[in-house]
Amino acid sequence: MPRISDEAKEERKLTLLQAALECFSAKGYYASTVDDIVSYSKLSKGSFYNYFESKEDIFINLLKKQREESLKKLNTSLNMIDSPMEKLKYWINSDIPYDLNKKKMMRIHIEFWLYSTDSPDVQHILTDRFDILFGMTKDIIMQGIEAGEFKQDTDPEKASALFWELHDGIWLHATIGYNEDKVEKRIKEMEAALLAYLT
């Protein structure tokens, strides 16, 4: 058998991960099978097991990949903005437009949340990710207080909790199809409510 390059191996792995995202977002984790992922990827079942041990293994790898990519992208964007208030506004509005890709990503994140009740490994990854994001939000709010952009008596912990309660509530409703056509409006309402609370 001819050997394939490292680039080709990585491309196959990414193809399988993309196929898993499509399957999990369309059918859910529990209803999806390794055969579904293989069929979608148009690779062989042997190729799947060259890279992943099981459906859970590719699920965890997909979660890790998305965590790394989303955090890198967010940090890069936020580091280009000086004002804490503008950083917060950018973060809130980064979910606009609400397109098909966003719908898939949010569905898979709900799947991660649901599956974490059965998997300590997934729960650990999600908890670590949330702690990082919560800490980033809290830091921005503290910077805003120091810069005089937010009220001096603002509690950064409570304000960060409010940010995530609003954010996750919007996406949970959108994912289950409740007021899906009003997601962007809800995001703008979240922005107005949070800034009113902070200023």
Side-chain angles (χ1 to χ4, degrees):
M1 291 289 291
R3 297 188 63 182
I4 62 173
S5 66
D6 290 341
E7 291 81 5
K9 288 180 182 178
E10 184 63 19
E11 185 176 336
R12 287 187 181 184
K13 184 176 181 180
L14 291 174
T15 296
L16 287 162
L17 286 167
Q18 182 62 33
L21 186 149
E22 296 292 340
C23 289
F24 295 146
S25 66
K27 299 180 66 174
Y29 175 79
Y30 291 102
S32 296
T33 66
V34 169
D35 286 339
D36 291 330
I37 297 168
V38 169
S39 176
Y40 190 93
S41 71
K42 297 182 171 52
L43 296 173
S44 69
K45 203 164 185 177
S47 291
F48 179 93
Y49 286 110
N50 279 335
Y51 299 98
F52 306 103
E53 296 177 1
S54 61
K55 182 175 76 167
E56 181 182 52
D57 186 36
I58 196 171
F59 192 63
I60 290 172
N61 272 270
L62 181 60
L63 173 56
K64 289 179 177 177
K65 177 177 179 288
Q66 293 198 330
R67 179 188 64 179
E68 291 167 6
E69 289 179 352
S70 63
L71 285 174
K72 181 179 179 181
K73 182 179 178 181
L74 181 61
N75 271 310
T76 298
S77 298
L78 292 178
N79 286 337
M80 296 173 66
I81 304 170
D82 293 326
S83 161
M85 182 184 291
E86 293 304 318
K87 285 184 179 184
L88 210 57
K89 288 166 67 175
Y90 169 83
W91 196 340
I92 293 169
N93 287 283
S94 64
D95 287 324
I96 296 174
Y98 181 57
D99 53 23
L100 180 59
N101 186 57
K102 289 275 182 1
K103 290 173 72 171
K104 290 177 182 178
M105 296 301 291
M106 290 316 301
R107 171 66 191 270
I108 197 71
H109 275 287
I110 298 296
E111 290 294 323
F112 290 144
W113 292 350
L114 292 173
Y115 187 66
S116 69
T117 61
D118 295 329
S119 171
D121 289 339
V122 172
Q123 189 173 58
H124 178 70
I125 296 167
L126 286 174
T127 301
D128 281 355
R129 179 180 182 273
F130 183 73
D131 286 345
I132 291 169
L133 291 171
F134 191 93
M136 288 169 62
T137 315
K138 187 175 175 180
D139 286 345
I140 291 172
I141 292 168
M142 291 172 65
Q143 292 165 15
I145 295 169
E146 291 171 6
E149 292 186 357
F150 302 145
K151 292 186 294 188
Q152 294 300 301
D153 61 349
T154 298
D155 183 328
E157 187 84 16
K158 290 181 180 177
S160 297
L162 178 62
F163 178 102
W164 288 105
E165 287 156 5
L166 292 169
H167 178 277
D168 291 348
I170 289 170
W171 283 112
L172 180 59
H173 284 179
T175 304
I176 64 174
Y178 177 71
N179 275 346
E180 181 181 310
D181 58 329
K182 297 180 180 177
V183 173
E184 294 183 13
K185 180 182 177 184
R186 297 288 181 257
I187 291 171
K188 298 306 293 184
E189 289 169 350
M190 172 186 169
E191 178 186 29
L194 195 62
L195 291 180
Y197 177 82
L198 290 169
T199 60

